[in-house]
Amino acid sequence: MSEKYVWFVTGTSTGLGNCLLHELLVTGHSVIATARKPETLQATLDQKYDAETLKRVLVVKVDITQEEEVKAAFASGIQKFGHIDIVVNNAGYAVLAEVEGCPMEEARTQFEVMFWGAVYISKEAVRVFREVNPSGKGGQLLNVSSVGGYTSQPTLSYYDAAKFALEGFTESLRKEMSPEWNIQATIIEPGGFNTEWRGANMSILPIHPAYDTPTSPVKQYRDMFHALPFIGSPERAAKAFVSLAGRRDLPLRIQFGSDSLAIVRHMAATTIADSERFESLSHSTNIDGINPPEYTKALLAHLG
C-alpha cells in the first residue's frame, strides 16, 4: 500500500488506539488523534518524533458524548488536512459487574460513550466523506466493537449490550449508503488484547452477594476472567487496521484475534443449528397460503 491517508481516531491515549496512532505516523499517514488528556499525549509525541512527522498529527481534546465537541474536532482536522479518509471509532471502557450489581448510572454512562459517542462520530464521518471530500472519494468508517458485540458473557452485560447496539447501528448505516458515495462502514471485533482494557480502562465492582456462591456461573467467570491470558498483540492489531486502508471489499464484520474468530464462528454455527432444530415451529406461525421455500427465496433476493 503506497497511498497515504488522513485518519481520525478516537481513544488514542492508550491501548489499541495509541498503537494505531504510532503505526500510522511511522508508516507515513496523517492522524487526527482524540484524547481526554491531549497535553500528555502531545508531550509524548513531541519526545518521540521529529518536526516533519509532527506535522502529520493533530491532537484534539474531545468528549465524544458531546456532539458539538465531535463536530468541532472534525472541523479542526479538516482545517489542517483538508479532508478525512478513514475514521476509527475506538474509544471505550468496561464495567465488570452483574446486571443486578451495576448502578444504572454506570450502565448508562457506558452507553453514552460506546454507543452514543460512536453514533456522533459516525454521523459526522459520513457527512464529511460525502460533503467535504471530493465527490465520489468517500471514506471508510471502522467501528471497533468486540467479540462481546456478537456474543455476551456474564458480568459484562452493559458493555456487551452497548457493543451489540453499535453493531446493529453500523449494519443499518452501511445499508443506507448510496453506492455513488463510496462510503464503507465495517465492524471490527477484537478478542482479548494486552491493553489497559482489563486494567485502567476497566472498573471492577464487588460481586453482588446473591451471586457469591461456589456454583454461581458469575463467580466462576470472574475467577476465569482474571486468570485468562489475552493473546492479542496491540501492535499487530494496529498493522491490521492499516492493511484495511483503501480496500473496497471489506465485509460487515472482521474479527481481530484467533479467540474472536473462534467464538464468532461457534456462535454463528450454534444459531444456525438452533434455527434448524426449531424450523417447523418457525414456519408454523405463518399465515395460510405461504410456501416457505418460495417466500424465503424471494425475500433474500429482495434483501440482496
Side-chain angles (χ1 to χ4, degrees):
M1 182 192 67
S2 58
E3 187 172 355
K4 304 306 177 185
Y5 298 94
V6 177
W7 297 61
F8 185 108
V9 185
T10 68
T12 57
S13 294
T14 60
L16 293 180
N18 187 257
C19 287
L20 177 56
L21 168 59
H22 290 292
E23 181 68 19
L24 292 173
L25 292 178
V26 168
T27 52
H29 297 269
S30 299
V31 195
I32 301 135
T34 79
R36 289 174 294 178
K37 296 180 179 179
E39 62 281 353
T40 302
L41 178 59
Q42 187 67 61
T44 300
L45 296 174
D46 290 343
Q47 292 177 356
K48 186 177 179 67
Y49 298 105
D50 59 32
E52 284 302 309
T53 301
L54 290 172
K55 292 179 181 178
R56 293 188 282 107
V57 61
L58 173 67
V59 178
V60 291
K61 181 178 181 179
V62 181
D63 178 351
I64 64 171
T65 68
Q66 302 300 313
E67 189 169 13
E68 292 307 312
E69 290 193 25
V70 168
K71 292 179 178 180
F74 273 88
S76 296
I78 292 166
Q79 183 177 19
K80 180 174 177 65
F81 298 113
H83 67 282
I84 298 171
D85 302 302
I86 304 169
V87 172
V88 181
N89 254 318
N90 169 73
Y93 74 104
V95 175
L96 188 147
E98 296 71 45
V99 170
E100 292 185 86
C102 183
M104 289 312 299
E105 182 179 356
E106 291 272 14
R108 292 181 187 278
T109 300
Q110 288 183 84
F111 265 82
E112 288 294 330
V113 172
M114 289 181 293
F115 178 69
W116 288 112
V119 167
Y120 298 148
I121 296 288
S122 298
K123 288 173 62 180
E124 193 63 8
V126 167
R127 188 193 68 80
V128 168
F129 293 158
R130 184 183 63 242
E131 300 177 10
V132 175
N133 292 355
S135 179
K137 180 178 177 63
Q140 292 175 293
L141 174 65
L142 304 177
N143 281 343
V144 180
S145 175
S146 163
V147 65
Y150 196 86
T151 179
S152 291
Q153 297 298 333
T155 74
L156 292 169
S157 56
Y158 298 108
Y159 173 86
D160 290 343
K163 294 298 190 182
F164 265 69
L166 177 61
E167 295 209 5
F169 165 82
T170 305
E171 181 173 0
S172 182
L173 178 67
R174 178 186 174 103
K175 292 176 178 177
E176 291 178 0
M177 297 297 99
S178 293
E180 63 270 19
W181 296 348
N182 202 20
I183 296 172
Q184 291 189 99
T186 295
I187 299 161
I188 306 298
E189 295 175 330
F193 279 79
N194 291 303
T195 67
E196 292 83 353
W197 185 81
R198 198 163 52 174
N201 289 341
M202 173 174 283
S203 176
I204 301 175
L205 303 186
I207 190 169
H208 187 285
Y211 298 88
D212 193 8
T213 66
T215 58
S216 167
V218 164
K219 177 72 170 176
Q220 295 170 15
Y221 184 80
R222 277 181 176 253
D223 292 342
M224 180 276 296
F225 180 80
H226 296 297
L228 182 69
F230 283 172
I231 65 170
S233 161
E235 292 78 15
R236 291 183 178 181
K239 293 181 184 299
F241 272 110
V242 175
S243 74
L244 302 179
R247 294 187 59 166
R248 296 301 172 188
D249 61 343
L250 300 187
L252 174 62
R253 291 179 174 87
I254 299 175
Q255 291 76 45
F256 278 12
S258 299
D259 49 356
S260 178
L261 186 63
I263 292 169
V264 166
R265 285 180 173 175
H266 174 74
M267 186 62 185
T270 299
T271 301
I272 292 173
D274 288 343
S275 71
E276 291 173 345
R277 190 158 61 97
F278 284 88
E279 182 175 1
S280 60
L281 178 65
S282 299
H283 292 320
S284 73
T285 63
N286 296 339
I287 61 175
D288 291 340
I290 296 296
N291 181 301
E294 291 181 0
Y295 173 80
T296 299
K297 182 178 179 181
L299 175 65
L300 294 180
H302 175 73
L303 295 176

